[in-house]
Amino acid sequence: MSTRKNIWMCFYLVLTILSCNQKSLPQKKAYSFYHNSKIEYLKDSVVIKLNNPINAPLTYFLSTKSKTLKNILKSLDTITLRPLQDSIIVLNFKNNGDKINLKNVLGNPSLQINKYPIALPFKNNSEYTIIQGYKGKFSHTRRYSYYAIDFNLKIGDTICASDNGYVVGVLDKYSGYGNREWMDYANFVTLYHPKSNLYTQYVHLKTNGSLVKVGDTVKIGQPIAISGMTGFTTIPHLHFNVLKATPTGLISEKISFIEGYKGVNLKKNDIVKK
């Protein structure tokens, strides 16, 4: 084959790849689970109704710009609900139009972490290559992803649960991928593991690629999702992250595998077998 023909074939391939990814960012943000928490402002009180619909602890942060409300909320600025727990808080306060903001994060940082080896997140009799390990410079640069591991699963490969637990988050309606602006538009499944008090997250799923729903109980090794290529990525792969709760939210945690691998030792181009 001539050099000129080779050049044109490469050029055509690049154009094809670029054209396939010419998608605009989703117009609407999706959420991995929905809650029914709300705040009711009455004449002489504020009623805060907190809801935890998932089988994992959920921490709410309350904030306000009102100086008066800030003093009232001093002992209530952080509230942690047990799995599937609801709570109602009534504040005796003459309402002058002041508002309270609600934010929630997974986890209860006061619970003890019990670390033990977990399973590689794919099917038995499979092997995959590591394409990015701990603190990888491409995308593992934040506390939330420091100790994530990227496996080169292909689109359509099966992802399996790394430990027994509950499904506490599912997002699989996004399509498309691209540069860093796509960071918040990846499909994923999040599991909570009450024995360890850790969370595992399986990211870049295929559109409609979840095999489970929020509330499901899962067993170690159970198929939970189909790998894809969504969000901030340039190649198909599984981004696998283990997370623990802290007072400010979830952060990435080091882990080892029952197959004999330690996450800290896994480097780019290493091959792992299950």
Side-chain angles (χ1 to χ4, degrees):
M1 189 179 291
S2 68
T3 301
R4 178 176 293 181
K5 191 171 183 179
N6 274 328
I7 292 172
W8 275 108
M9 285 189 68
C10 291
F11 180 68
Y12 176 78
L13 180 60
V14 170
L15 284 179
T16 302
I17 293 172
L18 290 174
S19 64
C20 289
N21 192 34
Q22 289 303 307
K23 281 196 171 188
S24 57
L25 291 173
Q27 296 298 307
K28 190 175 181 181
K29 190 81 177 286
Y31 297 92
S32 59
F33 70 88
Y34 294 92
H35 62 84
N36 295 315
S37 296
K38 61 181 179 180
I39 301 176
E40 296 178 353
Y41 298 92
L42 308 178
K43 288 184 178 180
D44 58 355
S45 62
V46 178
V47 180
I48 305 171
K49 297 181 178 180
L50 300 179
N51 168 240
N52 180 7
I54 59 174
N55 215 325
L58 189 64
T59 296
Y60 277 91
F61 298 101
L62 282 64
S63 62
T64 180
K65 293 181 179 180
S66 163
K67 291 183 178 179
T68 306
L69 267 176
K70 278 182 181 179
N71 290 328
I72 296 174
L73 291 176
K74 275 184 179 179
S75 61
L76 295 170
D77 58 344
T78 303
I79 301 168
T80 300
L81 300 182
R82 297 187 304 273
L84 304 175
Q85 178 193 12
D86 294 338
S87 181
I88 297 179
I89 301 166
V90 179
L91 305 178
N92 295 316
F93 172 73
K94 187 175 181 181
N95 184 23
N96 294 314
D98 297 318
K99 299 296 181 182
I100 297 173
N101 300 312
L102 279 179
K103 177 185 175 183
N104 65 64
V105 297
L106 285 171
N108 179 357
S110 67
L111 294 179
Q112 183 176 346
I113 299 296
N114 175 33
K115 290 174 67 174
Y116 51 81
I118 59 176
L120 287 167
F122 43 81
K123 295 175 70 174
N124 288 331
N125 303 313
S126 298
E127 66 176 46
Y128 289 98
T129 301
I130 306 297
I131 60 174
Q132 188 178 196
Y134 285 3
K135 297 189 177 181
K137 293 182 179 180
F138 181 75
S139 60
H140 299 172
T141 56
R142 302 180 301 156
R143 293 183 72 199
Y144 188 84
S145 59
Y146 272 168
Y147 306 116
I149 301 173
D150 292 346
F151 301 92
N152 74 328
L153 272 69
K154 305 299 186 289
I155 295 174
D157 285 358
T158 301
I159 298 166
C160 299
S162 284
D163 195 7
N164 299 328
Y166 302 105
V167 181
V168 296
V170 172
L171 205 165
D172 71 349
K173 301 307 179 187
Y174 287 136
S175 60
Y177 62 92
N179 56 23
R180 194 169 292 273
E181 66 180 351
W182 282 84
M183 177 78 74
D184 295 329
Y185 301 100
N187 294 324
F188 60 86
V189 166
T190 305
L191 304 182
Y192 173 58
H193 309 285
K195 183 179 177 181
S196 64
N197 194 37
L198 291 171
Y199 298 79
T200 53
Q201 200 164 71
Y202 312 77
V203 187
H204 302 305
L205 309 184
K206 185 177 179 181
T207 306
N208 298 315
S210 174
L211 304 177
V212 293
K213 63 183 184 302
V214 172
D216 284 354
T217 300
V218 298
K219 299 294 184 183
I220 186 171
Q222 176 182 331
I224 58 171
I226 304 300
S227 189
M229 188 173 177
T230 56
F232 174 35
T233 182
T234 58
I235 57 174
H237 71 282
L238 168 65
H239 173 90
F240 176 72
N241 199 10
V242 177
L243 299 153
K244 70 176 181 180
T246 73
T248 56
L250 296 178
I251 65 171
S252 194
E253 178 72 1
K254 296 177 181 179
I255 201 66
S256 59
F257 297 96
I258 58 178
E259 291 83 5
Y261 304 100
K262 290 186 177 181
V264 69
N265 295 330
L266 293 176
K267 308 299 181 186
K268 184 177 180 180
N269 296 324
D270 285 350
I271 296 175
V272 291
K273 300 179 182 181
K274 184 175 180 181

